Amino acid sequence: MNAADLGLPVAVPSTALFTDRYELTMLQAALRAGTADRRSVFEVFTRRLPEGRRYGVVGGTGRVLDAIENFRFDADVLAFLAEQGIVDEPTRAWLADYRFRGDVWGYPEGEVYFPGSPIMRVEGTFAEAVLLETVILSILNHDSAVAAAASRMSVAAGGRPLIEMGARRTHELAAVAAARAAYVGGFATTSDLAAGFRYNIPTVGTSAHAFTLLHDSERDAFTAQVDSLGSGTTLLVDTFDVTEAVRMAVDIAGPGLGAVRIDSGDLLLLAHRVRQQLDDLGAVKTKIVVTSDLDEYAIASLAAAPVDAYGVGTQLVTGSGHPTCSMVYKLVARADDGGADAPLRPVAKKSMGGKTSIGGRKWAARRLDASGIAEAEVVGTGPVPEVLADRQLLVELVRGGEVVAREPLDAARDRHAAARAGLPMSATQLSRGEAVLPTEYLTHDV
Amino acid sequence: MNAADLGLPVAVPSTALFTDRYELTMLQAALRAGTADRRSVFEVFTRRLPEGRRYGVVGGTGRVLDAIENFRFDADVLAFLAEQGIVDEPTRAWLADYRFRGDVWGYPEGEVYFPGSPIMRVEGTFAEAVLLETVILSILNHDSAVAAAASRMSVAAGGRPLIEMGARRTHELAAVAAARAAYVGGFATTSDLAAGFRYNIPTVGTSAHAFTLLHDSERDAFTAQVDSLGSGTTLLVDTFDVTEAVRMAVDIAGPGLGAVRIDSGDLLLLAHRVRQQLDDLGAVKTKIVVTSDLDEYAIASLAAAPVDAYGVGTQLVTGSGHPTCSMVYKLVARADDGGADAPLRPVAKKSMGGKTSIGGRKWAARRLDASGIAEAEVVGTGPVPEVLADRQLLVELVRGGEVVAREPLDAARDRHAAARAGLPMSATQLSRGEAVLPTEYLTHDV
């Protein structure tokens, strides 16, 4: 396998080490105790949404499927486990043959979720399913946090395009996943070339203050940029004096200038002033792009301004105040014996300090009111009521270890827009509130 | 090159795509304008610390050195740039030969910093230095945020060891970098196997509630764990009833039981009660590990409790409220012509909306008071005052493209402890405050 085959720089040959040590030591103990092959059901869910948020957005499902497929223990990794004395030889032998052969169901990517929603369900032997905990949670907790922030920003932006430009504000590979999650949440483009390379997300770019400062004058800089990139380029106009820069920009590029970018100052005021100036100069189609520590509230505050696109960085990649979700991966049912046909028994930790889990393998459905708008997230165990049969939220993702639900990223993006549109209107208020749907439980024995 | 040579899963063969598109289009325009080879100085700094924080911690320097070394445009990447029409053929030809050949100086990893501290200085042609902006900022902004949170937690923990266990709460590769940064900031160990594999950070693990629930009884689970992992293991005692579990744990493992972990409930109360119980059972050396959404404040609140180690996840990997720093990479000086000997001229964007930069290539020194405690961060251009000559903070990291400052991670960890110890006492108050050192500027022409 060479680097090109790996699709690097984003993919990795194995995801097996993105794992907490205790997953492997639990495996060793279970193998020795003879309990490792008990059929087990793990579920991913959150106990709450981030404070004030009205819905969550499932992000990262596609990346989870990649991670499960690539979860292998190669010779280097096994040697590391031996050297460090992390697990014993029988366990390493078991790991050498490891491939996940179980089943995964889950909310499809882009779907919205609520407290208690069984976002993903992993079913197999305890041994094969417990190992996936850490990497599944890493991906879903990170990507869903970014997707949720992106969704709110997308609502705030109305139909105006959003540019993801937060790569410099987060880990270099988290940035690639963030660009992907932002796209699912409604962003149009990214500045991150690795995200374009890996996920075919359209990339865009403008120019930095350094480019202007490199040249002997702003005029020289603009001329250099237009000469090389054409008049359709975006010129950065706030290095010195915005009014003077806009005048010069149109003078150099002509009225066909693609766009100007404003990265500092009172964006509301400047956008109005620059629009007027551009129109007066005949550059009526030249767009205005604003950037500068925007979040969903700042975007909303510019709704009445003549802004054509928003570039968002820090607040997007850090989840706009909520950089992670609180998803957990809990054993909810398991068999008393090994074998694929042993009956499952619901299990749950005793409640203490609010960490309650509900035992049993769950289904979930979104109940609609008479007008077709969602009115409740119904989570249940046992038989599904007939009225909810066609509103089931979990779909099959992996069957017997084979991924069966690959889809283009646009499918997740479209799904998110549709799911959000099906929520009550108050879902998209930016103000703090409760989850817009109540979660109702219909629990029986599994 | 095969996967093993790459040191995967963490390293990548090229970091060149962890780059915003505009770096490449600026390059193209500068190449065409004949300005690309002007000698340029870029500096990384922050305009402020996160609100309430008294010092920052430089994290990620070693990773930046790796990223610079591996910043290459291979055939796949060049083909992508061509297909997408991102840059023209002459620019791609230039990129095909790219290797950074300039110089980098910076605060060594683990050093503390303040607003305006020139944390890193990259000097070379505009072309070779501008390309590194995105990846350098990604690494420093992420890793420094985690290192700063780790440092505060380390202070709060006193001498008690801290375990990093946040992998599941952040992007799977950000988690590896976070474990590294946490170690620099004072953490002792990590749960993340990839961090152990890549950076030799000691790994530890306990057990999850799922392991208990897998078995027919808590007794069966504890027996399985002790049988396999020995009595030195850490048993998780809060799945059902803590008192009963502690009694059973000592009954099964004997008084030599390594540790018990408490993951929910009133940790202060439980720690006291469990310590008393363990002592009464003769397990006087059995340790108590607590976990459960800890941050520096929760850790501090347990200072008087009989706790032996803290496991920290979410709040560590998300920077305890500040998941990124606000570091920027600014052109501060450049030559009027190409050539290595052309004189440098300071440059800066005009201030608007608080985005001020100070032009000129900078030095930095930490001035001490009569008792040897730091009293100011002095940042200057031009000649260094003689009294500060031996207090210079920037060290040479890359000379003519060659990394000259590799060091073991423990060096950065030790440096951080020493740097923090040299600050005024109020630096380590957890309460919100101002930067503990003022930044003084001594600026002349470069």
Side-chain angles (χ1 to χ4, degrees), chain A residues 215-391:
Chain A
H215 292 87
D216 297 336
S217 67
E218 195 170 41
R219 174 171 287 275
D220 282 3
F222 286 2
T223 302
Q225 187 173 334
V226 171
D227 277 356
S228 175
L229 302 168
S231 62
T233 194
T234 300
L235 293 172
L236 177 62
V237 292
D238 71 335
T239 306
F240 302 114
D241 178 86
V242 172
T243 303
E244 175 58 18
V246 169
R247 194 193 57 69
M248 199 186 310
V250 177
D251 185 42
I252 292 165
L257 173 64
V260 296
R261 175 163 80 105
I262 310 170
D263 183 47
S264 56
D266 181 333
L267 298 177
L268 181 63
L269 190 74
L270 284 170
H272 278 289
R273 195 188 292 172
V274 167
R275 181 73 268 157
Q276 184 64 52
Q277 188 186 2
L278 286 169
D279 289 349
D280 290 347
L281 292 166
V284 295
K285 293 195 171 164
T286 299
K287 293 185 171 166
I288 297 176
V289 182
V290 295
T291 56
S292 186
D293 281 338
L294 297 177
D295 62 11
E296 61 267 48
Y297 304 101
I299 292 167
S301 76
L302 291 166
V307 165
D308 298 287
Y310 305 92
V312 189
T314 306
Q315 291 301 318
L316 174 74
V317 298
T318 58
S320 200
H322 300 291
T324 187
C325 304
S326 50
M327 291 183 195
V328 293
Y329 184 90
K330 292 293 171 190
L331 182 68
V332 296
R334 52 95 182 152
D336 285 347
D337 300 294
D341 300 326
L344 291 171
R345 161 200 302 277
V347 295
K349 175 187 183 309
K350 189 177 165 224
S351 171
M352 186 166 63
K355 290 191 177 180
T356 313
S357 303
I358 295 173
R361 183 211 274 138
K362 298 178 197 69
W363 51 261
R366 194 157 296 149
R367 198 174 67 226
L368 307 186
D369 67 15
S371 61
I373 295 296
E375 64 173 16
E377 191 86 340
V378 188
V379 176
T381 58
V384 178
E386 202 167 319
V387 293
L388 294 175
D390 64 345
R391 298 294 308 160

Side-chain angles (χ1 to χ4, degrees), chain A residues 3-332:
Chain A
D5 295 336
L6 300 175
L8 292 166
V10 177
V12 294
S14 170
T15 48
L17 282 185
F18 298 140
T19 299
D20 285 330
R21 178 173 167 143
Y22 79 173
E23 317 287 8
L24 299 193
T25 52
M26 287 192 283
L27 168 67
Q28 174 182 313
L31 284 171
R32 178 162 166 157
T35 49
D37 64 346
R38 291 184 173 190
R39 187 153 192 83
S40 297
V41 182
F42 286 86
E43 286 176 357
V44 175
F45 63 96
T46 67
R47 296 186 177 98
R48 58 184 186 282
L49 295 178
E51 198 192 334
R53 293 285 179 85
R54 294 165 190 266
Y55 61 93
V57 180
V58 177
T61 313
R63 296 212 305 121
V64 167
L65 301 182
D66 291 343
I68 292 174
E69 266 192 344
N70 292 307
F71 203 95
R72 310 281 172 77
F73 293 83
D74 66 15
D76 279 359
V77 168
L78 293 168
F80 165 75
L81 298 178
E83 282 158 26
Q84 301 281 316
I86 290 169
V87 286
D88 60 18
E89 200 286 325
T91 305
R92 296 198 302 275
W94 189 94
L95 291 173
D97 290 333
Y98 180 81
R99 296 195 53 169
F100 179 72
R101 294 185 177 87
D103 304 317
V104 181
W105 288 65
Y107 280 40
E109 188 156 11
E111 185 54 90
V112 297
Y113 71 84
F114 299 92
S117 297
I119 293 155
M120 189 167 283
R121 188 174 72 210
V122 178
E123 194 162 343
T125 65
F126 176 81
E128 68 184 340
V130 74
L131 290 185
L132 300 176
E133 175 178 25
T134 310
V135 74
I136 287 179
L137 288 177
S138 289
I139 292 171
L140 293 178
N141 272 320
H142 175 268
D143 291 16
S144 299
V146 176
S151 176
R152 285 165 61 84
M153 292 170 183
S154 174
V155 167
R160 294 172 179 172
L162 288 158
I163 308 164
E164 187 285 304
M165 35 184 274
R168 64 190 59 193
R169 300 297 180 196
T170 187
H171 182 276
E172 64 276 20
L173 276 153
V176 183
R180 182 184 179 284
Y183 189 74
V184 170
F187 273 54
T189 52
T190 179
S191 64
D192 189 325
L193 290 172
F197 181 74
R198 180 66 181 80
Y199 297 117
N200 294 311
I201 301 169
T203 62
V204 296
T206 60
S207 187
H209 297 114
F211 185 78
T212 298
L213 296 172
L214 168 68
H215 292 87
D216 297 336
S217 67
E218 195 170 41
R219 174 171 287 275
D220 282 3
F222 286 2
T223 302
Q225 187 173 334
V226 171
D227 277 356
S228 175
L229 302 168
S231 62
T233 194
T234 300
L235 293 172
L236 177 62
V237 292
D238 71 335
T239 306
F240 302 114
D241 178 86
V242 172
T243 303
E244 175 58 18
V246 169
R247 194 193 57 69
M248 199 186 310
V250 177
D251 185 42
I252 292 165
L257 173 64
V260 296
R261 175 163 80 105
I262 310 170
D263 183 47
S264 56
D266 181 333
L267 298 177
L268 181 63
L269 190 74
L270 284 170
H272 278 289
R273 195 188 292 172
V274 167
R275 181 73 268 157
Q276 184 64 52
Q277 188 186 2
L278 286 169
D279 289 349
D280 290 347
L281 292 166
V284 295
K285 293 195 171 164
T286 299
K287 293 185 171 166
I288 297 176
V289 182
V290 295
T291 56
S292 186
D293 281 338
L294 297 177
D295 62 11
E296 61 267 48
Y297 304 101
I299 292 167
S301 76
L302 291 166
V307 165
D308 298 287
Y310 305 92
V312 189
T314 306
Q315 291 301 318
L316 174 74
V317 298
T318 58
S320 200
H322 300 291
T324 187
C325 304
S326 50
M327 291 183 195
V328 293
Y329 184 90
K330 292 293 171 190
L331 182 68
V332 296

Side-chain angles (χ1 to χ4, degrees), chain B residues 6 18 53 135 162 178 181 283 292 302 350 421 433 440:
Chain B
L6 301 175
F18 298 140
R53 292 285 179 85
V135 73
L162 288 158
S292 186
L302 292 166
K350 188 175 168 230
E440 298 176 4

Side-chain angles (χ1 to χ4, degrees), chain B residues 56-109:
Chain B
V57 180
V58 178
T61 313
R63 295 211 307 120
V64 167
L65 301 182
D66 291 343
I68 292 174
E69 264 190 347
N70 293 307
F71 202 96
R72 310 282 171 78
F73 293 83
D74 64 16
D76 279 359
V77 169
L78 292 168
F80 165 74
L81 298 178
E83 282 158 28
Q84 300 280 316
I86 290 169
V87 287
D88 61 18
E89 198 287 325
T91 305
R92 296 198 302 276
W94 189 93
L95 291 172
D97 289 333
Y98 180 81
R99 296 196 51 169
F100 179 72
R101 294 184 178 87
D103 304 316
V104 181
W105 288 65
Y107 281 39
E109 189 156 11

Side-chain angles (χ1 to χ4, degrees), chain B residues 224-245:
Chain B
Q225 186 173 334
V226 171
D227 277 355
S228 175
L229 301 168
S231 61
T233 194
T234 300
L235 293 171
L236 176 62
V237 292
D238 71 335
T239 305
F240 302 113
D241 178 85
V242 173
T243 303
E244 175 59 17

